[in-house]
Amino acid sequence: MIPIVCGVSITNCKSKTISSSFAFILNMDLIKHLEALKLFVQEDPSTRESNVDECLDVIIQTVTSNSKESSSRAFVEKLLYEGLAELVIDLLKPPTKLSSTQTTKLIELIAEVAKCEHARKSLSDPTVVSTLLELLSSKDNQVVLQSCRALGNICFDNDLARGIVKDHKGVEKLVHLLKSLLEMKEMPHNLRATASGCLLNMTETCDETQEQALKAGITDVLLQYLSRYHSDEDLASHCLLVLNCLADYDTGREILVEKTSLSYLLEILDKNLTSEVLETLLELFGNLLENDNVKLQLAELGFCQQLLALMKKCQDGVYNEESHNILKTLCDLIVLILTGDDSMEKLYGGRMSEVYKQTMNWICSDDENLQIGGALAAGNFARKDEHCIQMVKDHVPKDLIELLKKHCGKDGDIRLQHAVLSALKNLAIPMENKAVLVELGIVDHLLKMAEVETYPVVFKLLGTLRMLVDKQENVANRLGVDSTFIQQLVKWGYTEDHPGVKGEAVRLLAWLVKHSRSTVVMQLIIKEGGVPQFVNMIQSEHQIMQNEALLALIIMADTVLGEITKDFQKSGLSSVVNIQLQQDGLSSETLQNMLTLIASVAATETLKLEFQELGMKSELSRLSESTDKEVCERAKVCLNLLHSTP
């Protein structure tokens, strides 16, 4: 018998060509047997019971003998056209005139034709579904097997049938069957797998049937199945897929993330599983790890250590595409756990943990997925300054830089570039680390990355450079006098394709001004068109960016005012400042910086005149009465400057 098909469409095979004459004869034969069954329903005395068996056998054989789906589907559609669905309903209506053997054959026929989508809809009838559900409690295991197949195939991707199942409490009946099968010793070899596949098709993407399954205690049942029958690939896969569906439902997730359930799943992870079952189990863990509390629980239960052991088995065994994919998934799960703050701290373990040591070794691996995983792990461990400082002592940045050297420029691996730059950015945040990273030659390698055209990578690159510039005058000067880099930076500052890159580019320009205080750097930024970007950033919705732009403009106005005045005029600085002064919710720091900028640029008659023409005096007068002492004093200074005459 053909086992139930679960979780996959079975209607996409290539066509099988048959002669039209043969198809005609076969169709006529099918119609003859259908008519005979209809006469049996009508209690026609000419129809003997043996004829019923023969009719069912012929129809089943016809449907199943066509290996190509298009041919089988054509026959099924012909049967439906000739009234098969109505006939099935009539045959199942109580009191049924069918013998136990005939009932089994009829259900087998239902299971076969329900592989066709049109048939699934036609058979989504309360009489059919309720009868099949009642037959789940039959003492005849063949009837039970075929009922599971029929129900599973009818419910596949069919919410109408699932609704009927729900209305008749069908999931409860199926869960009861699954519980009883746990203790049963003699049965068809594939009954458990078929019943679990039926459950999958009943519950997949259907909250109502999932709720029924949970109330019936399905999670405990499935975990027991996995513990006992993990070597049965179909059965284990079905159980895990159902659990994965339940994990998408709030109540199901709550049960599965309990410590008892997680411990059960971890025990199963230690079993000798097939590749398919292992991948499905890992997918379930990935689903559950969306919650930070689960990440911590699994970290405490030794999940990552189990994953590392599995990785070693993959690496020691035959290396093929299958093992490669599993290795990548194992690596991804460890990285995912490290995204939780508490779980990361637990797994760091004062840099002495196996997880920390192993993941840092990945960076020097020959496997690209491990290299990326190691870089991502490093970035996650480097979310605390004390970790960053220790990681520099452990030479982690050196390994990352060596890896980056092999993937510099636009031809490098994008995923690896992004991962390495993410880690280096975090490592560059503590003040103690900056000089060490610079000594490792990081700046030159990062400058080569300016050729990269992938915006997410550029975003990380700019962030890393900005961290290295912080209070590092030598680095700011090194970058600020590189005309090619400044040109590229200004270009990125005008892009509309990635707001993050645009913002980071202008912020880095501002930091170069702030930390270099170099006339040469400022002149190059003016020459390459960076000033309008500072003026535009004054209008940012983020006050930290507003203040960075204001500070850069103040420094430039105090240092190269004569060279920057025209840019101030062209970019509409006076108008932008006037509008911003009138905005509500500005912090004291922002107001002070804005007033300081006004005082600095008002030294030029042209800009002073623009301020006067915009009526800025009235706004300054209002601010001069502020209860904020610093704002009040600076506003008065600006008023005096605007009142003064040359």
Side-chain angles (χ1 to χ4, degrees):
M1 295 180 184
I2 300 174
I4 189 170
V5 178
C6 299
V8 292
S9 173
I10 56 170
T11 58
N12 295 321
C13 299
K14 295 181 180 177
S15 301
K16 178 180 180 180
T17 304
I18 59 173
S19 69
S20 58
S21 59
F22 176 73
F24 175 76
I25 294 169
L26 200 51
N27 282 342
M28 292 301 295
D29 196 37
L30 282 174
I31 293 169
K32 182 184 75 173
H33 287 93
L34 272 178
E35 292 301 323
L37 288 173
K38 290 177 183 178
L39 290 173
F40 175 74
V41 171
Q42 296 166 11
E43 299 184 354
D44 190 300
S46 64
T47 306
R48 299 190 307 274
E49 187 173 322
S50 60
N51 289 345
V52 174
D53 288 282
E54 180 187 347
C55 291
L56 290 170
D57 287 337
V58 169
I59 297 173
I60 291 170
Q61 184 179 3
T62 302
V63 174
T64 58
S65 63
N66 292 280
S67 58
K68 295 295 184 180
E69 184 195 341
S70 59
S71 300
S72 178
R73 185 175 60 213
F75 290 126
V76 170
E77 289 177 353
K78 178 65 177 174
L79 289 168
L80 293 171
Y81 179 77
E82 296 295 337
L84 175 66
E86 294 80 4
L87 175 61
V88 166
I89 293 169
D90 287 338
L91 286 168
L92 289 175
K93 282 180 180 176
T96 181
K97 296 184 263 315
L98 298 176
S99 67
S100 176
T101 302
Q102 291 166 349
T103 300
T104 303
K105 290 179 180 180
L106 178 61
I107 299 168
E108 182 181 357
L109 175 60
I110 295 171
E112 294 301 336
V113 299
K115 293 177 181 179
C116 173
E117 182 179 358
H118 297 301
R120 287 199 287 276
K121 299 298 181 185
S122 300
L123 293 169
S124 297
D125 178 87
T127 298
V128 176
V129 174
S130 63
T131 302
L132 292 172
L133 289 170
E134 290 302 321
L135 290 172
L136 293 178
S137 58
S138 170
K139 294 181 179 179
D140 186 332
N141 284 335
Q142 284 298 329
V143 171
V144 175
L145 175 67
Q146 296 303 332
S147 298
C148 287
R149 289 188 62 231
L151 283 166
N153 285 342
I154 292 172
C155 289
F156 174 69
D157 198 23
N158 185 358
D159 286 338
L160 176 59
R162 291 167 183 162
I164 299 171
V165 168
K166 183 223 28 160
D167 293 340
H168 289 81
K169 298 184 178 179
V171 177
E172 293 178 16
K173 293 180 173 68
L174 184 57
V175 173
H176 179 76
L177 170 64
L178 286 164
K179 287 178 180 178
S180 67
L181 293 179
L182 276 170
E183 308 305 327
M184 193 178 297
K185 294 182 179 179
E186 294 186 8
M187 68 184 81
H189 75 280
N190 59 341
L191 180 53
R192 291 191 183 100
T194 304
S196 59
C198 178
L199 178 67
L200 173 62
N201 284 1
M202 278 186 183
T203 56
E204 190 173 26
T205 71
C206 183
D207 289 352
E208 292 174 322
T209 52
Q210 286 177 13
E211 184 177 1
Q212 281 191 348
L214 289 165
K215 287 181 178 178
I218 191 59
T219 50
D220 287 341
V221 175
L222 293 175
L223 290 172
Q224 287 185 64
Y225 266 80
L226 287 167
S227 180
R228 295 187 194 184
Y229 310 114
H230 54 270
S231 58
D232 184 327
E233 187 172 281
D234 287 340
L235 174 55
S237 295
H238 294 161
C239 293
L240 287 168
L241 288 169
V242 173
L243 289 173
N244 227 329
C245 291
L246 296 175
D248 292 330
Y249 186 66
D250 289 344
T251 307
R253 180 173 289 269
E254 287 175 10
I255 295 172
L256 287 170
V257 299
E258 291 176 357
K259 189 172 182 179
T260 305
S261 299
L262 291 176
S263 298
Y264 236 120
L265 290 172
L266 291 177
E267 286 179 17
I268 296 162
L269 189 61
D270 275 337
K271 307 286 186 184
N272 187 20
L273 307 174
T274 67
S275 297
E276 183 178 337
V277 172
L278 177 58
E279 286 187 73
T280 311
L281 177 56
L282 294 176
E283 183 181 340
L284 173 59
F285 276 117
N287 190 345
L288 298 175
L289 280 168
E290 292 176 6
N291 182 285
D292 279 0
N293 289 331
V294 178
K295 292 173 187 174
L296 178 58
Q297 279 194 74
L298 286 173
E300 291 174 339
L301 290 169
F303 178 52
C304 287
Q305 288 78 359
Q306 285 182 262
L307 296 181
L308 288 173
L310 284 169
M311 290 180 77
K312 189 174 187 309
K313 283 178 66 176
C314 284
Q315 291 168 318
D316 292 344
V318 177
Y319 191 78
N320 51 35
E321 184 178 353
E322 199 173 66
S323 61
H324 175 82
N325 292 336
I326 292 175
L327 191 66
K328 182 181 184 302
T329 303
L330 294 168
C331 179
D332 290 343
L333 286 173
I334 291 175
V335 170
L336 182 56
I337 281 200
L338 291 174
T339 58
D341 290 338
D342 293 334
S343 54
M344 178 273 290
E345 188 66 38
K346 170 71 179 177
L347 293 171
Y348 179 69
R351 71 178 275 273
M352 298 305 293
S353 79
E354 179 188 2
V355 176
Y356 172 74
K357 292 176 181 177
Q358 289 290 337
T359 53
M360 293 306 96
N361 287 338
W362 292 352
I363 299 170
C364 301
S365 167
D366 293 328
D367 185 291
E368 192 173 84
N369 286 318
L370 289 182
Q371 291 172 347
I372 294 169
L376 290 171
N380 283 312
F381 281 126
R383 296 206 306 274
K384 292 187 72 171
D385 282 2
E386 61 188 83
H387 295 183
C388 291
I389 294 167
Q390 183 58 55
M391 290 169 76
V392 168
K393 294 177 182 177
D394 292 340
H395 308 295
V396 173
K398 182 179 178 182
D399 293 337
L400 289 168
I401 293 170
E402 285 299 315
L403 190 54
L404 187 64
K405 283 165 63 176
K406 300 173 186 176
H407 292 270
C408 264
K410 55 187 177 183
D411 296 327
D413 185 290
I414 293 170
R415 296 176 306 145
L416 196 143
Q417 290 174 338
H418 191 274
V420 171
L421 289 171
S422 297
L424 288 173
K425 178 186 175 183
N426 285 356
L427 289 167
I429 292 173
M431 200 57 60
E432 297 94 320
N433 287 357
K434 299 181 192 295
V436 180
L437 292 173
V438 172
E439 288 175 10
L440 290 171
I442 189 173
V443 175
D444 289 335
H445 297 301
L446 294 179
L447 282 172
K448 292 177 183 176
M449 292 290 295
E451 300 174 4
V452 172
E453 298 173 349
T454 307
Y455 282 125
V457 175
V458 173
F459 180 69
K460 291 296 181 182
L461 169 66
L462 296 175
T464 306
L465 286 169
R466 190 164 58 80
M467 292 301 101
L468 290 168
V469 163
D470 187 19
K471 296 182 177 63
Q472 304 299 305
E473 183 179 348
N474 59 330
V475 179
N477 279 310
R478 169 74 178 84
L479 298 175
V481 299
D482 188 321
S483 59
T484 302
F485 178 68
I486 297 298
Q487 287 172 8
Q488 183 62 62
L489 208 52
V490 171
K491 181 181 177 181
W492 282 327
Y494 282 112
T495 186
E496 297 298 333
D497 294 329
H498 193 292
V501 166
K502 180 179 182 178
E504 276 293 342
V506 184
R507 291 187 75 187
L508 180 52
L509 280 172
W511 282 42
L512 292 177
V513 172
K514 174 183 175 181
H515 295 289
S516 72
R517 305 276 172 156
S518 165
T519 301
V520 176
V521 172
M522 296 178 208
Q523 289 171 335
L524 184 55
I525 291 174
I526 294 169
K527 177 185 174 184
E528 299 301 339
V531 174
Q533 295 181 353
F534 293 149
V535 174
N536 186 55
M537 196 161 80
I538 293 174
Q539 304 170 81
S540 170
E541 61 185 18
H542 305 292
Q543 291 200 14
I544 187 170
M545 293 175 69
Q546 288 181 331
N547 286 315
E548 287 173 355
L550 288 167
L551 184 56
L553 290 172
I554 290 168
I555 294 169
M556 294 178 81
D558 290 343
T559 309
V560 288
L561 183 58
E563 298 172 63
I564 202 173
T565 301
K566 288 184 179 180
D567 286 87
F568 282 161
Q569 289 179 281
K570 289 179 182 178
S571 58
L573 173 67
S574 54
S575 177
V576 169
V577 170
N578 188 53
I579 292 170
Q580 288 302 116
L581 276 179
Q582 300 172 49
Q583 301 300 310
D584 294 328
L586 291 178
S587 67
S588 174
E589 179 188 3
T590 303
L591 280 172
Q592 290 178 47
N593 286 334
M594 210 166 289
L595 293 168
T596 300
L597 177 60
I598 293 170
S600 296
V601 301
T604 64
E605 289 303 315
T606 51
L607 290 169
K608 180 195 291 187
L609 181 60
E610 287 184 9
F611 287 145
Q612 291 171 340
E613 290 174 348
L614 287 167
M616 191 178 286
K617 289 181 182 179
S618 61
E619 192 61 34
L620 291 172
S621 295
R622 181 183 67 82
L623 291 173
S624 68
E625 298 175 358
S626 171
T627 55
D628 187 317
K629 183 178 178 181
E630 287 294 327
V631 171
C632 174
E633 290 180 357
R634 296 190 192 200
K636 288 177 181 178
V637 170
C638 292
L639 274 174
N640 290 334
L641 285 169
L642 294 188
H643 280 303
S644 65
T645 56

